[in-house]
PDB file of all heavy atoms in Angstrom:
ATOM      1  N   GLN J   1     -27.006  63.187 -38.905  1.00  0.00           N
ATOM      2  CA  GLN J   1     -26.862  62.108 -39.881  1.00  0.00           C
ATOM      3  C   GLN J   1     -25.686  62.361 -40.811  1.00  0.00           C
ATOM      4  O   GLN J   1     -24.903  61.448 -41.108  1.00  0.00           O
ATOM      5  CB  GLN J   1     -28.163  61.962 -40.679  1.00  0.00           C
ATOM      6  CG  GLN J   1     -29.349  61.495 -39.844  1.00  0.00           C
ATOM      7  CD  GLN J   1     -30.641  61.524 -40.627  1.00  0.00           C
ATOM      8  OE1 GLN J   1     -30.674  61.907 -41.782  1.00  0.00           O
ATOM      9  NE2 GLN J   1     -31.725  61.125 -39.978  1.00  0.00           N
ATOM     10  N   LEU J   2     -25.545  63.601 -41.270  1.00  0.00           N
ATOM     11  CA  LEU J   2     -24.422  63.915 -42.152  1.00  0.00           C
ATOM     12  C   LEU J   2     -23.086  63.741 -41.431  1.00  0.00           C
ATOM     13  O   LEU J   2     -22.116  63.227 -42.010  1.00  0.00           O
ATOM     14  CB  LEU J   2     -24.559  65.351 -42.669  1.00  0.00           C
ATOM     15  CG  LEU J   2     -25.677  65.597 -43.692  1.00  0.00           C
ATOM     16  CD1 LEU J   2     -25.758  67.073 -44.031  1.00  0.00           C
ATOM     17  CD2 LEU J   2     -25.437  64.786 -44.958  1.00  0.00           C
ATOM     18  N   LYS J   3     -23.024  64.166 -40.164  1.00  0.00           N
ATOM     19  CA  LYS J   3     -21.792  63.984 -39.401  1.00  0.00           C
ATOM     20  C   LYS J   3     -21.464  62.502 -39.240  1.00  0.00           C
ATOM     21  O   LYS J   3     -20.306  62.088 -39.315  1.00  0.00           O
ATOM     22  CB  LYS J   3     -21.934  64.642 -38.023  1.00  0.00           C
ATOM     23  CG  LYS J   3     -21.849  66.152 -38.059  1.00  0.00           C
ATOM     24  CD  LYS J   3     -21.913  66.730 -36.658  1.00  0.00           C
ATOM     25  CE  LYS J   3     -21.803  68.250 -36.688  1.00  0.00           C
ATOM     26  NZ  LYS J   3     -21.882  68.837 -35.319  1.00  0.00           N
ATOM     27  N   PHE J   4     -22.516  61.682 -39.043  1.00  0.00           N
ATOM     28  CA  PHE J   4     -22.299  60.248 -38.896  1.00  0.00           C
ATOM     29  C   PHE J   4     -21.739  59.650 -40.178  1.00  0.00           C
ATOM     30  O   PHE J   4     -20.781  58.859 -40.159  1.00  0.00           O
ATOM     31  CB  PHE J   4     -23.629  59.580 -38.518  1.00  0.00           C
ATOM     32  CG  PHE J   4     -23.559  58.082 -38.441  1.00  0.00           C
ATOM     33  CD1 PHE J   4     -22.908  57.463 -37.386  1.00  0.00           C
ATOM     34  CD2 PHE J   4     -24.136  57.297 -39.424  1.00  0.00           C
ATOM     35  CE1 PHE J   4     -22.837  56.080 -37.312  1.00  0.00           C
ATOM     36  CE2 PHE J   4     -24.069  55.920 -39.359  1.00  0.00           C
ATOM     37  CZ  PHE J   4     -23.415  55.310 -38.302  1.00  0.00           C
ATOM     38  N   PHE J   5     -22.306  60.056 -41.338  1.00  0.00           N
ATOM     39  CA  PHE J   5     -21.809  59.533 -42.612  1.00  0.00           C
ATOM     40  C   PHE J   5     -20.385  60.012 -42.893  1.00  0.00           C
ATOM     41  O   PHE J   5     -19.565  59.256 -43.429  1.00  0.00           O
ATOM     42  CB  PHE J   5     -22.741  59.952 -43.755  1.00  0.00           C
ATOM     43  CG  PHE J   5     -24.047  59.210 -43.765  1.00  0.00           C
ATOM     44  CD1 PHE J   5     -25.249  59.896 -43.788  1.00  0.00           C
ATOM     45  CD2 PHE J   5     -24.078  57.822 -43.736  1.00  0.00           C
ATOM     46  CE1 PHE J   5     -26.458  59.209 -43.789  1.00  0.00           C
ATOM     47  CE2 PHE J   5     -25.278  57.130 -43.739  1.00  0.00           C
ATOM     48  CZ  PHE J   5     -26.472  57.823 -43.761  1.00  0.00           C
ATOM     49  N   GLU J   6     -20.088  61.256 -42.526  1.00  0.00           N
ATOM     50  CA  GLU J   6     -18.723  61.745 -42.707  1.00  0.00           C
ATOM     51  C   GLU J   6     -17.738  60.959 -41.843  1.00  0.00           C
ATOM     52  O   GLU J   6     -16.625  60.654 -42.270  1.00  0.00           O
ATOM     53  CB  GLU J   6     -18.661  63.232 -42.350  1.00  0.00           C
ATOM     54  CG  GLU J   6     -19.334  64.129 -43.377  1.00  0.00           C
ATOM     55  CD  GLU J   6     -19.343  65.580 -42.933  1.00  0.00           C
ATOM     56  OE1 GLU J   6     -18.826  65.847 -41.814  1.00  0.00           O
ATOM     57  OE2 GLU J   6     -19.848  66.426 -43.684  1.00  0.00           O
ATOM     58  N   GLN J   7     -18.162  60.629 -40.635  1.00  0.00           N
ATOM     59  CA  GLN J   7     -17.293  59.846 -39.763  1.00  0.00           C
ATOM     60  C   GLN J   7     -17.072  58.447 -40.334  1.00  0.00           C
ATOM     61  O   GLN J   7     -15.956  57.909 -40.288  1.00  0.00           O
ATOM     62  CB  GLN J   7     -17.915  59.764 -38.366  1.00  0.00           C
ATOM     63  CG  GLN J   7     -17.002  59.135 -37.329  1.00  0.00           C
ATOM     64  CD  GLN J   7     -17.615  59.166 -35.946  1.00  0.00           C
ATOM     65  OE1 GLN J   7     -18.752  59.600 -35.785  1.00  0.00           O
ATOM     66  NE2 GLN J   7     -16.887  58.688 -34.959  1.00  0.00           N
ATOM     67  N   LEU J   8     -18.134  57.842 -40.894  1.00  0.00           N
ATOM     68  CA  LEU J   8     -17.982  56.531 -41.526  1.00  0.00           C
ATOM     69  C   LEU J   8     -17.003  56.593 -42.697  1.00  0.00           C
ATOM     70  O   LEU J   8     -16.142  55.713 -42.850  1.00  0.00           O
ATOM     71  CB  LEU J   8     -19.344  56.027 -42.022  1.00  0.00           C
ATOM     72  CG  LEU J   8     -20.302  55.439 -40.976  1.00  0.00           C
ATOM     73  CD1 LEU J   8     -21.580  54.975 -41.651  1.00  0.00           C
ATOM     74  CD2 LEU J   8     -19.648  54.278 -40.243  1.00  0.00           C
ATOM     75  N   GLU J   9     -17.133  57.639 -43.531  1.00  0.00           N
ATOM     76  CA  GLU J   9     -16.218  57.777 -44.665  1.00  0.00           C
ATOM     77  C   GLU J   9     -14.780  57.971 -44.188  1.00  0.00           C
ATOM     78  O   GLU J   9     -13.836  57.428 -44.774  1.00  0.00           O
ATOM     79  CB  GLU J   9     -16.651  58.962 -45.536  1.00  0.00           C
ATOM     80  CG  GLU J   9     -17.950  58.719 -46.295  1.00  0.00           C
ATOM     81  CD  GLU J   9     -18.364  59.920 -47.108  1.00  0.00           C
ATOM     82  OE1 GLU J   9     -17.640  60.943 -47.059  1.00  0.00           O
ATOM     83  OE2 GLU J   9     -19.398  59.845 -47.797  1.00  0.00           O
ATOM     84  N   ARG J  10     -14.619  58.740 -43.105  1.00  0.00           N
ATOM     85  CA  ARG J  10     -13.277  58.963 -42.578  1.00  0.00           C
ATOM     86  C   ARG J  10     -12.666  57.661 -42.056  1.00  0.00           C
ATOM     87  O   ARG J  10     -11.495  57.352 -42.311  1.00  0.00           O
ATOM     88  CB  ARG J  10     -13.346  60.009 -41.459  1.00  0.00           C
ATOM     89  CG  ARG J  10     -12.013  60.640 -41.143  1.00  0.00           C
ATOM     90  CD  ARG J  10     -12.139  61.665 -40.029  1.00  0.00           C
ATOM     91  NE  ARG J  10     -13.089  62.702 -40.348  1.00  0.00           N
ATOM     92  CZ  ARG J  10     -14.227  62.892 -39.690  1.00  0.00           C
ATOM     93  NH1 ARG J  10     -14.551  62.114 -38.662  1.00  0.00           N
ATOM     94  NH2 ARG J  10     -15.053  63.874 -40.025  1.00  0.00           N
ATOM     95  N   LEU J  11     -13.475  56.858 -41.350  1.00  0.00           N
ATOM     96  CA  LEU J  11     -12.977  55.583 -40.841  1.00  0.00           C
ATOM     97  C   LEU J  11     -12.646  54.619 -41.979  1.00  0.00           C
ATOM     98  O   LEU J  11     -11.645  53.892 -41.929  1.00  0.00           O
ATOM     99  CB  LEU J  11     -14.018  54.961 -39.906  1.00  0.00           C
ATOM    100  CG  LEU J  11     -14.237  55.675 -38.566  1.00  0.00           C
ATOM    101  CD1 LEU J  11     -15.393  55.033 -37.813  1.00  0.00           C
ATOM    102  CD2 LEU J  11     -12.969  55.636 -37.735  1.00  0.00           C
ATOM    103  N   GLU J  12     -13.498  54.620 -43.028  1.00  0.00           N
ATOM    104  CA  GLU J  12     -13.236  53.748 -44.176  1.00  0.00           C
ATOM    105  C   GLU J  12     -11.952  54.153 -44.888  1.00  0.00           C
ATOM    106  O   GLU J  12     -11.140  53.300 -45.263  1.00  0.00           O
ATOM    107  CB  GLU J  12     -14.432  53.816 -45.144  1.00  0.00           C
ATOM    108  CG  GLU J  12     -14.315  52.912 -46.354  1.00  0.00           C
ATOM    109  CD  GLU J  12     -14.379  51.442 -45.978  1.00  0.00           C
ATOM    110  OE1 GLU J  12     -14.862  51.111 -44.885  1.00  0.00           O
ATOM    111  OE2 GLU J  12     -13.932  50.616 -46.807  1.00  0.00           O
ATOM    112  N   LYS J  13     -11.738  55.459 -45.042  1.00  0.00           N
ATOM    113  CA  LYS J  13     -10.508  55.930 -45.684  1.00  0.00           C
ATOM    114  C   LYS J  13      -9.294  55.594 -44.825  1.00  0.00           C
ATOM    115  O   LYS J  13      -8.239  55.191 -45.341  1.00  0.00           O
ATOM    116  CB  LYS J  13     -10.601  57.443 -45.895  1.00  0.00           C
ATOM    117  CG  LYS J  13      -9.433  58.029 -46.669  1.00  0.00           C
ATOM    118  CD  LYS J  13      -9.638  59.511 -46.903  1.00  0.00           C
ATOM    119  CE  LYS J  13      -8.498  60.099 -47.721  1.00  0.00           C
ATOM    120  NZ  LYS J  13      -7.182  59.945 -47.083  1.00  0.00           N
ATOM    121  N   GLN J  14      -9.450  55.728 -43.497  1.00  0.00           N
ATOM    122  CA  GLN J  14      -8.338  55.399 -42.616  1.00  0.00           C
ATOM    123  C   GLN J  14      -8.003  53.908 -42.695  1.00  0.00           C
ATOM    124  O   GLN J  14      -6.827  53.521 -42.708  1.00  0.00           O
ATOM    125  CB  GLN J  14      -8.708  55.792 -41.182  1.00  0.00           C
ATOM    126  CG  GLN J  14      -7.585  55.593 -40.181  1.00  0.00           C
ATOM    127  CD  GLN J  14      -7.987  56.049 -38.789  1.00  0.00           C
ATOM    128  OE1 GLN J  14      -9.084  56.581 -38.602  1.00  0.00           O
ATOM    129  NE2 GLN J  14      -7.118  55.845 -37.824  1.00  0.00           N
ATOM    130  N   ARG J  15      -9.054  53.067 -42.796  1.00  0.00           N
ATOM    131  CA  ARG J  15      -8.805  51.622 -42.905  1.00  0.00           C
ATOM    132  C   ARG J  15      -8.088  51.279 -44.213  1.00  0.00           C
ATOM    133  O   ARG J  15      -7.144  50.480 -44.232  1.00  0.00           O
ATOM    134  CB  ARG J  15     -10.141  50.881 -42.828  1.00  0.00           C
ATOM    135  CG  ARG J  15     -10.015  49.360 -42.764  1.00  0.00           C
ATOM    136  CD  ARG J  15     -11.379  48.724 -42.683  1.00  0.00           C
ATOM    137  NE  ARG J  15     -12.179  49.008 -43.861  1.00  0.00           N
ATOM    138  CZ  ARG J  15     -12.063  48.316 -45.005  1.00  0.00           C
ATOM    139  NH1 ARG J  15     -11.179  47.330 -45.116  1.00  0.00           N
ATOM    140  NH2 ARG J  15     -12.819  48.623 -46.033  1.00  0.00           N
ATOM    141  N   LYS J  16      -8.509  51.909 -45.310  1.00  0.00           N
ATOM    142  CA  LYS J  16      -7.848  51.650 -46.591  1.00  0.00           C
ATOM    143  C   LYS J  16      -6.406  52.139 -46.581  1.00  0.00           C
ATOM    144  O   LYS J  16      -5.507  51.473 -47.118  1.00  0.00           O
ATOM    145  CB  LYS J  16      -8.623  52.341 -47.726  1.00  0.00           C
ATOM    146  CG  LYS J  16      -9.947  51.665 -48.050  1.00  0.00           C
ATOM    147  CD  LYS J  16     -10.638  52.354 -49.216  1.00  0.00           C
ATOM    148  CE  LYS J  16     -11.951  51.663 -49.555  1.00  0.00           C
ATOM    149  NZ  LYS J  16     -12.652  52.347 -50.685  1.00  0.00           N
ATOM    150  N   ASP J  17      -6.169  53.288 -45.946  1.00  0.00           N
ATOM    151  CA  ASP J  17      -4.797  53.784 -45.852  1.00  0.00           C
ATOM    152  C   ASP J  17      -3.925  52.843 -45.035  1.00  0.00           C
ATOM    153  O   ASP J  17      -2.755  52.623 -45.375  1.00  0.00           O
ATOM    154  CB  ASP J  17      -4.800  55.188 -45.228  1.00  0.00           C
ATOM    155  CG  ASP J  17      -5.416  56.232 -46.140  1.00  0.00           C
ATOM    156  OD1 ASP J  17      -5.558  55.945 -47.346  1.00  0.00           O
ATOM    157  OD2 ASP J  17      -5.791  57.323 -45.643  1.00  0.00           O
ATOM    158  N   GLU J  18      -4.495  52.293 -43.966  1.00  0.00           N
ATOM    159  CA  GLU J  18      -3.724  51.333 -43.150  1.00  0.00           C
ATOM    160  C   GLU J  18      -3.397  50.078 -43.948  1.00  0.00           C
ATOM    161  O   GLU J  18      -2.277  49.554 -43.880  1.00  0.00           O
ATOM    162  CB  GLU J  18      -4.519  50.976 -41.891  1.00  0.00           C
ATOM    163  CG  GLU J  18      -4.622  52.098 -40.862  1.00  0.00           C
ATOM    164  CD  GLU J  18      -3.284  52.419 -40.233  1.00  0.00           C
ATOM    165  OE1 GLU J  18      -2.429  51.518 -40.157  1.00  0.00           O
ATOM    166  OE2 GLU J  18      -3.086  53.575 -39.827  1.00  0.00           O
ATOM    167  N   GLN J  19      -4.373  49.572 -44.711  1.00  0.00           N
ATOM    168  CA  GLN J  19      -4.114  48.388 -45.542  1.00  0.00           C
ATOM    169  C   GLN J  19      -3.029  48.673 -46.576  1.00  0.00           C
ATOM    170  O   GLN J  19      -2.106  47.857 -46.787  1.00  0.00           O
ATOM    171  CB  GLN J  19      -5.403  47.946 -46.244  1.00  0.00           C
ATOM    172  CG  GLN J  19      -6.438  47.327 -45.318  1.00  0.00           C
ATOM    173  CD  GLN J  19      -7.700  46.918 -46.058  1.00  0.00           C
ATOM    174  OE1 GLN J  19      -7.873  47.232 -47.233  1.00  0.00           O
ATOM    175  NE2 GLN J  19      -8.598  46.245 -45.354  1.00  0.00           N
ATOM    176  N   GLU J  20      -3.130  49.828 -47.231  1.00  0.00           N
ATOM    177  CA  GLU J  20      -2.112  50.183 -48.230  1.00  0.00           C
ATOM    178  C   GLU J  20      -0.741  50.343 -47.577  1.00  0.00           C
ATOM    179  O   GLU J  20       0.289  49.939 -48.144  1.00  0.00           O
ATOM    180  CB  GLU J  20      -2.528  51.477 -48.931  1.00  0.00           C
ATOM    181  CG  GLU J  20      -1.623  51.860 -50.087  1.00  0.00           C
ATOM    182  CD  GLU J  20      -2.084  53.122 -50.785  1.00  0.00           C
ATOM    183  OE1 GLU J  20      -3.125  53.681 -50.388  1.00  0.00           O
ATOM    184  OE2 GLU J  20      -1.400  53.549 -51.727  1.00  0.00           O
ATOM    185  N   ARG J  21      -0.723  50.881 -46.377  1.00  0.00           N
ATOM    186  CA  ARG J  21       0.552  51.062 -45.673  1.00  0.00           C
ATOM    187  C   ARG J  21       1.182  49.712 -45.328  1.00  0.00           C
ATOM    188  O   ARG J  21       2.391  49.528 -45.474  1.00  0.00           O
ATOM    189  CB  ARG J  21       0.302  51.878 -44.397  1.00  0.00           C
ATOM    190  CG  ARG J  21       1.546  52.268 -43.640  1.00  0.00           C
ATOM    191  CD  ARG J  21       1.207  53.244 -42.514  1.00  0.00           C
ATOM    192  NE  ARG J  21       2.388  53.668 -41.819  1.00  0.00           N
ATOM    193  CZ  ARG J  21       2.980  52.996 -40.824  1.00  0.00           C
ATOM    194  NH1 ARG J  21       2.445  51.854 -40.413  1.00  0.00           N
ATOM    195  NH2 ARG J  21       4.065  53.460 -40.245  1.00  0.00           N
ATOM    196  N   GLU J  22       0.340  48.762 -44.899  1.00  0.00           N
ATOM    197  CA  GLU J  22       0.866  47.430 -44.589  1.00  0.00           C
ATOM    198  C   GLU J  22       1.426  46.760 -45.846  1.00  0.00           C
ATOM    199  O   GLU J  22       2.492  46.116 -45.814  1.00  0.00           O
ATOM    200  CB  GLU J  22      -0.238  46.564 -43.987  1.00  0.00           C
ATOM    201  CG  GLU J  22      -0.642  46.986 -42.576  1.00  0.00           C
ATOM    202  CD  GLU J  22      -1.761  46.120 -42.031  1.00  0.00           C
ATOM    203  OE1 GLU J  22      -2.165  45.174 -42.744  1.00  0.00           O
ATOM    204  OE2 GLU J  22      -2.228  46.395 -40.915  1.00  0.00           O
ATOM    205  N   ILE J  23       0.737  46.912 -46.966  1.00  0.00           N
ATOM    206  CA  ILE J  23       1.225  46.315 -48.217  1.00  0.00           C
ATOM    207  C   ILE J  23       2.558  46.934 -48.617  1.00  0.00           C
ATOM    208  O   ILE J  23       3.513  46.235 -49.018  1.00  0.00           O
ATOM    209  CB  ILE J  23       0.175  46.497 -49.335  1.00  0.00           C
ATOM    210  CG1 ILE J  23      -1.073  45.688 -49.009  1.00  0.00           C
ATOM    211  CG2 ILE J  23       0.741  46.082 -50.682  1.00  0.00           C
ATOM    212  CD1 ILE J  23      -2.230  45.944 -49.955  1.00  0.00           C
ATOM    213  N   LEU J  24       2.661  48.245 -48.485  1.00  0.00           N
ATOM    214  CA  LEU J  24       3.906  48.919 -48.854  1.00  0.00           C
ATOM    215  C   LEU J  24       5.047  48.518 -47.922  1.00  0.00           C
ATOM    216  O   LEU J  24       6.194  48.327 -48.359  1.00  0.00           O
ATOM    217  CB  LEU J  24       3.699  50.433 -48.830  1.00  0.00           C
ATOM    218  CG  LEU J  24       2.777  51.008 -49.913  1.00  0.00           C
ATOM    219  CD1 LEU J  24       2.572  52.493 -49.690  1.00  0.00           C
ATOM    220  CD2 LEU J  24       3.342  50.751 -51.291  1.00  0.00           C
ATOM    221  N   LEU J  25       4.743  48.391 -46.618  1.00  0.00           N
ATOM    222  CA  LEU J  25       5.802  47.984 -45.683  1.00  0.00           C
ATOM    223  C   LEU J  25       6.271  46.559 -45.959  1.00  0.00           C
ATOM    224  O   LEU J  25       7.474  46.262 -45.877  1.00  0.00           O
ATOM    225  CB  LEU J  25       5.299  48.118 -44.248  1.00  0.00           C
ATOM    226  CG  LEU J  25       5.115  49.557 -43.741  1.00  0.00           C
ATOM    227  CD1 LEU J  25       4.535  49.557 -42.334  1.00  0.00           C
ATOM    228  CD2 LEU J  25       6.441  50.318 -43.766  1.00  0.00           C
ATOM    229  N   LYS J  26       5.339  45.660 -46.285  1.00  0.00           N
ATOM    230  CA  LYS J  26       5.734  44.296 -46.644  1.00  0.00           C
ATOM    231  C   LYS J  26       6.593  44.289 -47.895  1.00  0.00           C
ATOM    232  O   LYS J  26       7.581  43.549 -47.995  1.00  0.00           O
ATOM    233  CB  LYS J  26       4.487  43.441 -46.860  1.00  0.00           C
ATOM    234  CG  LYS J  26       3.767  43.065 -45.581  1.00  0.00           C
ATOM    235  CD  LYS J  26       2.547  42.215 -45.886  1.00  0.00           C
ATOM    236  CE  LYS J  26       1.791  41.878 -44.600  1.00  0.00           C
ATOM    237  NZ  LYS J  26       0.564  41.081 -44.888  1.00  0.00           N
ATOM    238  N   ALA J  27       6.217  45.124 -48.868  1.00  0.00           N
ATOM    239  CA  ALA J  27       7.008  45.189 -50.100  1.00  0.00           C
ATOM    240  C   ALA J  27       8.394  45.764 -49.838  1.00  0.00           C
ATOM    241  O   ALA J  27       9.381  45.342 -50.447  1.00  0.00           O
ATOM    242  CB  ALA J  27       6.278  46.048 -51.134  1.00  0.00           C
ATOM    243  N   ALA J  28       8.482  46.719 -48.908  1.00  0.00           N
ATOM    244  CA  ALA J  28       9.783  47.307 -48.604  1.00  0.00           C
ATOM    245  C   ALA J  28      10.688  46.329 -47.867  1.00  0.00           C
ATOM    246  O   ALA J  28      11.915  46.355 -48.031  1.00  0.00           O
ATOM    247  CB  ALA J  28       9.596  48.574 -47.777  1.00  0.00           C
ATOM    248  N   LYS J  29      10.097  45.420 -47.068  1.00  0.00           N
ATOM    249  CA  LYS J  29      10.895  44.460 -46.292  1.00  0.00           C
ATOM    250  C   LYS J  29      11.281  43.225 -47.101  1.00  0.00           C
ATOM    251  O   LYS J  29      12.146  42.470 -46.677  1.00  0.00           O
ATOM    252  CB  LYS J  29      10.109  44.030 -45.055  1.00  0.00           C
ATOM    253  CG  LYS J  29       9.950  45.144 -44.022  1.00  0.00           C
ATOM    254  CD  LYS J  29       9.121  44.674 -42.843  1.00  0.00           C
ATOM    255  CE  LYS J  29       8.935  45.792 -41.831  1.00  0.00           C
ATOM    256  NZ  LYS J  29       8.089  45.373 -40.691  1.00  0.00           N
ATOM    257  N   SER J  30      10.601  43.012 -48.214  1.00  0.00           N
ATOM    258  CA  SER J  30      10.914  41.812 -48.996  1.00  0.00           C
ATOM    259  C   SER J  30      12.302  41.948 -49.614  1.00  0.00           C
ATOM    260  O   SER J  30      12.700  43.019 -50.081  1.00  0.00           O
ATOM    261  CB  SER J  30       9.870  41.621 -50.101  1.00  0.00           C
ATOM    262  OG  SER J  30       9.953  42.666 -51.031  1.00  0.00           O
ATOM    263  N   ARG J  31      13.063  40.816 -49.640  1.00  0.00           N
ATOM    264  CA  ARG J  31      14.440  40.834 -50.124  1.00  0.00           C
ATOM    265  C   ARG J  31      14.617  39.846 -51.286  1.00  0.00           C
ATOM    266  O   ARG J  31      15.646  39.201 -51.403  1.00  0.00           O
ATOM    267  CB  ARG J  31      15.407  40.484 -49.003  1.00  0.00           C
ATOM    268  CG  ARG J  31      15.349  41.474 -47.850  1.00  0.00           C
ATOM    269  CD  ARG J  31      16.378  41.145 -46.799  1.00  0.00           C
ATOM    270  NE  ARG J  31      16.366  42.118 -45.709  1.00  0.00           N
ATOM    271  CZ  ARG J  31      17.026  43.266 -45.733  1.00  0.00           C
ATOM    272  NH1 ARG J  31      17.740  43.586 -46.797  1.00  0.00           N
ATOM    273  NH2 ARG J  31      16.972  44.090 -44.701  1.00  0.00           N
ATOM    274  N   SER J  32      13.623  39.743 -52.102  1.00  0.00           N
ATOM    275  CA  SER J  32      13.738  38.847 -53.253  1.00  0.00           C
ATOM    276  C   SER J  32      14.717  39.431 -54.263  1.00  0.00           C
ATOM    277  O   SER J  32      14.743  40.635 -54.509  1.00  0.00           O
ATOM    278  CB  SER J  32      12.360  38.664 -53.915  1.00  0.00           C
ATOM    279  OG  SER J  32      11.843  39.910 -54.324  1.00  0.00           O
ATOM    280  N   ARG J  33      15.586  38.541 -54.831  1.00  0.00           N
ATOM    281  CA  ARG J  33      16.626  39.004 -55.751  1.00  0.00           C
ATOM    282  C   ARG J  33      16.028  39.402 -57.110  1.00  0.00           C
ATOM    283  O   ARG J  33      16.428  40.397 -57.693  1.00  0.00           O
ATOM    284  CB  ARG J  33      17.669  37.906 -55.947  1.00  0.00           C
ATOM    285  CG  ARG J  33      18.459  37.635 -54.675  1.00  0.00           C
ATOM    286  CD  ARG J  33      19.489  36.570 -54.919  1.00  0.00           C
ATOM    287  NE  ARG J  33      20.282  36.303 -53.712  1.00  0.00           N
ATOM    288  CZ  ARG J  33      21.242  35.406 -53.651  1.00  0.00           C
ATOM    289  NH1 ARG J  33      21.526  34.650 -54.717  1.00  0.00           N
ATOM    290  NH2 ARG J  33      21.911  35.232 -52.525  1.00  0.00           N
ATOM    291  N   GLN J  34      15.110  38.607 -57.582  1.00  0.00           N
ATOM    292  CA  GLN J  34      14.487  38.907 -58.864  1.00  0.00           C
ATOM    293  C   GLN J  34      13.191  39.692 -58.616  1.00  0.00           C
ATOM    294  O   GLN J  34      12.163  39.106 -58.309  1.00  0.00           O
ATOM    295  CB  GLN J  34      14.189  37.613 -59.633  1.00  0.00           C
ATOM    296  CG  GLN J  34      15.437  36.832 -59.993  1.00  0.00           C
ATOM    297  CD  GLN J  34      15.095  35.552 -60.728  1.00  0.00           C
ATOM    298  OE1 GLN J  34      13.929  35.173 -60.823  1.00  0.00           O
ATOM    299  NE2 GLN J  34      16.125  34.892 -61.241  1.00  0.00           N
ATOM    300  N   GLU J  35      13.306  40.979 -58.701  1.00  0.00           N
ATOM    301  CA  GLU J  35      12.155  41.838 -58.442  1.00  0.00           C
ATOM    302  C   GLU J  35      11.486  42.211 -59.759  1.00  0.00           C
ATOM    303  O   GLU J  35      12.153  42.579 -60.724  1.00  0.00           O
ATOM    304  CB  GLU J  35      12.589  43.114 -57.721  1.00  0.00           C
ATOM    305  CG  GLU J  35      13.089  42.871 -56.304  1.00  0.00           C
ATOM    306  CD  GLU J  35      13.413  44.185 -55.627  1.00  0.00           C
ATOM    307  OE1 GLU J  35      13.379  45.212 -56.335  1.00  0.00           O
ATOM    308  OE2 GLU J  35      13.710  44.171 -54.423  1.00  0.00           O
ATOM    309  N   ASP J  36      10.182  42.092 -59.775  1.00  0.00           N
ATOM    310  CA  ASP J  36       9.429  42.544 -60.946  1.00  0.00           C
ATOM    311  C   ASP J  36       9.205  44.056 -60.855  1.00  0.00           C
ATOM    312  O   ASP J  36       9.416  44.656 -59.801  1.00  0.00           O
ATOM    313  CB  ASP J  36       8.100  41.793 -61.054  1.00  0.00           C
ATOM    314  CG  ASP J  36       7.260  41.950 -59.801  1.00  0.00           C
ATOM    315  OD1 ASP J  36       7.789  42.489 -58.807  1.00  0.00           O
ATOM    316  OD2 ASP J  36       6.085  41.557 -59.804  1.00  0.00           O
ATOM    317  N   PRO J  37       8.809  44.698 -61.945  1.00  0.00           N
ATOM    318  CA  PRO J  37       8.602  46.168 -61.903  1.00  0.00           C
ATOM    319  C   PRO J  37       7.560  46.602 -60.875  1.00  0.00           C
ATOM    320  O   PRO J  37       7.703  47.667 -60.253  1.00  0.00           O
ATOM    321  CB  PRO J  37       8.124  46.478 -63.335  1.00  0.00           C
ATOM    322  CG  PRO J  37       8.663  45.368 -64.171  1.00  0.00           C
ATOM    323  CD  PRO J  37       8.666  44.152 -63.294  1.00  0.00           C
ATOM    324  N   GLU J  38       6.549  45.774 -60.664  1.00  0.00           N
ATOM    325  CA  GLU J  38       5.521  46.128 -59.688  1.00  0.00           C
ATOM    326  C   GLU J  38       6.103  46.161 -58.277  1.00  0.00           C
ATOM    327  O   GLU J  38       5.793  47.043 -57.474  1.00  0.00           O
ATOM    328  CB  GLU J  38       4.366  45.123 -59.775  1.00  0.00           C
ATOM    329  CG  GLU J  38       3.220  45.405 -58.828  1.00  0.00           C
ATOM    330  CD  GLU J  38       2.480  46.688 -59.182  1.00  0.00           C
ATOM    331  OE1 GLU J  38       2.588  47.165 -60.330  1.00  0.00           O
ATOM    332  OE2 GLU J  38       1.790  47.234 -58.290  1.00  0.00           O
ATOM    333  N   GLN J  39       6.966  45.180 -57.983  1.00  0.00           N
ATOM    334  CA  GLN J  39       7.612  45.136 -56.670  1.00  0.00           C
ATOM    335  C   GLN J  39       8.511  46.358 -56.474  1.00  0.00           C
ATOM    336  O   GLN J  39       8.542  46.963 -55.397  1.00  0.00           O
ATOM    337  CB  GLN J  39       8.432  43.852 -56.548  1.00  0.00           C
ATOM    338  CG  GLN J  39       8.908  43.556 -55.135  1.00  0.00           C
ATOM    339  CD  GLN J  39       7.787  43.026 -54.263  1.00  0.00           C
ATOM    340  OE1 GLN J  39       6.726  42.681 -54.768  1.00  0.00           O
ATOM    341  NE2 GLN J  39       8.016  42.967 -52.974  1.00  0.00           N
TER     342      GLN J  39
END
């Protein structure tokens, strides 16, 4: 059971990392002239 929960946590962390990576890649590809500090 503990191994199963650890695997679930690992998959959830991997999914969040993938989402964050996609957001960062989209931000890196954007070519807007007026960039805000967050961008």
Side-chain angles (χ1 to χ4, degrees):
Q1 294 173 359
L2 289 176
K3 285 183 179 179
F4 176 73
F5 287 127
E6 288 176 359
Q7 188 176 4
L8 282 181
E9 290 178 359
R10 198 180 303 115
L11 291 174
E12 182 68 19
K13 185 177 182 300
Q14 184 178 356
R15 187 180 62 82
K16 288 182 179 179
D17 291 344
E18 289 293 332
Q19 289 179 352
E20 186 178 358
R21 186 172 182 276
E22 289 179 3
I23 294 172
L24 291 175
L25 289 177
K26 286 180 182 178
K29 291 178 181 178
S30 66
R31 299 184 178 275
S32 58
R33 293 181 179 179
Q34 297 179 351
E35 292 184 352
D36 57 351
E38 181 67 20
Q39 192 76 12

